[in-house]
Amino acid sequence: MNLNRRSIILILPALSAGYLLAFLGMYHSQKNLLLDTEQNDLQVQAGQLTNMISHYGSLTRNYLHTFVQNQSFNQLLKVDRADYRALAVDGSLSDAVRHMGIVQQDHLTVAVLNRSGDLHYFYEDSMDPFSELDERYRQQVADMFRENTLRKSVFYEGDSPILTHARIIDRRTLSGPVNIDNTDSVAVIIALKAHRYAVRRDALVGAGRLVTWQHPEQVSDSHPLRLIAQENLPGFGKLSVIAPGSRLETQLAELRSILATAMLTLCVLSSLLLSLLIWRYITRPIKQLERDLATMDYESEHPPQVYDSSDEIG
C-alpha cells in the first residue's frame, strides 16, 4: 500500500503552498510594523533633539537679557579706560556671570565686541587660563554689523555643539541703536555648549542612527529602506535623524530567517502528523482487513465477524 507515500506527494505541496502564502503575509505585516515602529522612533528622537536645541536657544536669549540688565555690565560699558575696566569692573562682572545659574556641564562664553571686532569684555567658563574668543563668534558679530542685523542665533554642530545668541545694543541706552554704524554700538554674544544635546546625539549615533543638519541627502546611504525624520527649527535650520537602510535590511533578514525556519518546521511536522493519521485510521485498518480476508473460511458455519472499529473501515 503506497497511500502514505501518495499522500505526502499530493498533499505536502499544497500544504507547503498554503504555509508559504501565510508566511508571506506575515512577513509583509511584520515588515510594515518594523518600518512604522522605526519611523515613529525616529520622529520621537528628532523631536527630543529639537526640543533640547529650543531649550538652549531660550536659555541663551534669557541669559543675554539678564546679562545686559546687570549693574556690573552697565558699568563696563560706561568705562572707557581699559586698565580701570580690567581692574575694577571685569572681576565683579565675572563674579556675576558665575552666579547666574548656568548648568555646570554647559560651558559658557560671554563676550562684548565693537564693530571692529575689538574685545571690551571676555569671559569663558573653562579651565584654560589662556583661552581666547572663538573666531567663529567674531565672524558672527562681523556678519551682523555688515547685514545690519540686531539679533542673531547660530547653532554650531560638531563634536562639542555650541549655540550662540548675539545682540547689538547702544552702550549708552542698552537698547537697539538708532544707527548701527554708530561708534557706541557694541555686540554682546552668549555662547553655550549644548552638553545634554551632545550626550543624547552621541547615544543615538552609538545605536546606529545618523544625525545631520540642513542636508540629509549628503549622507552616503542610498539604500531604498533608509528612513528619515526631520524637524524644522526656525532660525537654526532643519535637523534630520536617519535610520540607515543597511541596518533595517539586517533586521529584515533576521525576520526572514526566523519565518523560513518556522515554515520549514511546520511543514515537516505537518507531513509527519498527516502520515501518522493516515497510517492510524486508513492504512493500518485496510491492511488488517486484507489479512482477515485472506484467512476467511467461506464454507464455515460460523457467522462472519463484525468489524466495528471507529476508523473508516469500521
Side-chain angles (χ1 to χ4, degrees):
M1 178 75 55
N2 296 321
L3 186 57
N4 276 6
R5 255 194 322 272
R6 292 172 182 170
S7 66
I8 294 177
I9 294 175
L10 295 177
I11 299 177
L12 187 58
L15 191 65
S16 301
Y19 281 135
L20 180 60
L21 291 176
F23 278 97
L24 283 176
M26 290 178 60
Y27 171 72
H28 285 291
S29 175
Q30 291 298 315
K31 176 183 177 181
N32 292 334
L33 178 62
L34 173 64
L35 296 180
D36 290 343
T37 302
E38 286 286 325
Q39 186 65 52
N40 291 335
D41 288 345
L42 290 176
Q43 207 65 49
V44 170
Q45 292 158 0
Q48 290 175 340
L49 293 179
T50 53
N51 287 339
M52 289 180 179
I53 296 301
S54 298
H55 168 74
Y56 280 111
S58 299
L59 189 61
T60 52
R61 289 191 297 271
N62 294 336
Y63 193 75
L64 189 145
H65 176 75
T66 304
F67 180 76
V68 169
Q69 302 302 319
N70 184 272
Q71 183 177 359
S72 297
F73 177 71
N74 296 339
Q75 294 176 2
L76 172 76
L77 294 183
K78 293 175 183 178
V79 173
D80 294 323
R81 290 182 55 185
D83 53 350
Y84 175 75
R85 185 169 63 239
L87 291 174
V89 181
D90 285 4
S92 61
L93 183 57
S94 298
D95 289 338
V97 168
R98 282 191 290 268
H99 290 86
M100 293 183 71
I102 291 294
V103 179
Q104 184 176 2
Q105 296 93 336
D106 300 327
H107 297 298
L108 173 71
T109 299
V110 181
V112 180
L113 304 90
N114 60 17
R115 183 182 181 87
S116 302
D118 299 326
L119 273 174
H120 282 250
Y121 172 76
F122 173 67
Y123 169 85
E124 185 170 80
D125 182 17
S126 71
M127 301 300 294
D128 183 6
F130 304 103
S131 59
E132 298 180 351
L133 182 66
D134 193 319
E135 286 301 318
R136 293 178 296 179
Y137 309 158
R138 202 184 298 272
Q139 184 61 47
Q140 179 179 339
V141 169
D143 292 341
M144 292 175 64
F145 276 106
R146 187 180 64 256
E147 298 167 1
N148 199 27
T149 302
L150 296 182
R151 298 172 185 266
K152 187 174 184 180
S153 296
V154 178
F155 181 72
Y156 297 101
E157 175 74 346
D159 293 337
S160 297
I162 298 172
L163 192 142
T164 67
H165 181 66
R167 177 181 168 191
I168 296 177
I169 61 173
D170 188 294
R171 59 183 298 189
R172 306 297 179 186
T173 64
L174 302 182
S175 59
V178 177
N179 182 8
I180 200 172
D181 295 325
N182 192 306
T183 56
D184 286 332
S185 297
V186 295
V188 184
I189 184 167
I190 301 286
L192 200 59
K193 287 187 178 180
H195 174 75
R196 285 169 290 176
Y197 167 85
V199 170
R200 181 57 181 157
R201 179 203 61 188
D202 293 345
L204 291 178
V205 172
R209 299 284 195 252
L210 300 175
V211 180
T212 181
W213 282 83
Q214 305 294 350
H215 302 293
E217 65 275 3
Q218 293 180 357
V219 177
S220 59
D221 180 16
S222 58
H223 199 285
L225 286 177
R226 183 181 71 167
L227 298 178
I228 301 177
Q230 296 179 333
E231 290 285 345
N232 288 315
L233 272 171
F236 295 107
K238 182 182 294 183
L239 180 142
S240 300
V241 180
I242 303 172
S246 56
R247 179 173 176 269
L248 294 174
E249 181 60 39
T250 300
Q251 292 177 311
L252 290 177
E254 293 176 357
L255 176 62
R256 288 193 296 268
S257 176
I258 292 172
L259 291 179
T261 302
M263 186 187 76
L264 182 61
T265 302
L266 279 178
C267 286
V268 172
L269 292 178
S270 298
S271 62
L272 292 176
L273 179 61
L274 183 62
S275 298
L276 178 62
L277 292 176
I278 291 175
W279 175 81
R280 172 66 179 81
Y281 292 104
I282 298 178
T283 305
R284 191 178 69 171
I286 290 177
K287 288 186 176 181
Q288 181 63 39
L289 180 61
E290 289 177 345
R291 288 194 295 270
D292 293 342
L293 290 176
T295 59
M296 182 178 292
D297 186 2
Y298 295 100
E299 296 180 355
S300 175
E301 297 178 354
H302 298 288
Q305 295 182 350
V306 178
Y307 195 81
D308 58 355
S309 64
S310 59
D311 51 35
E312 282 72 9
I313 305 302

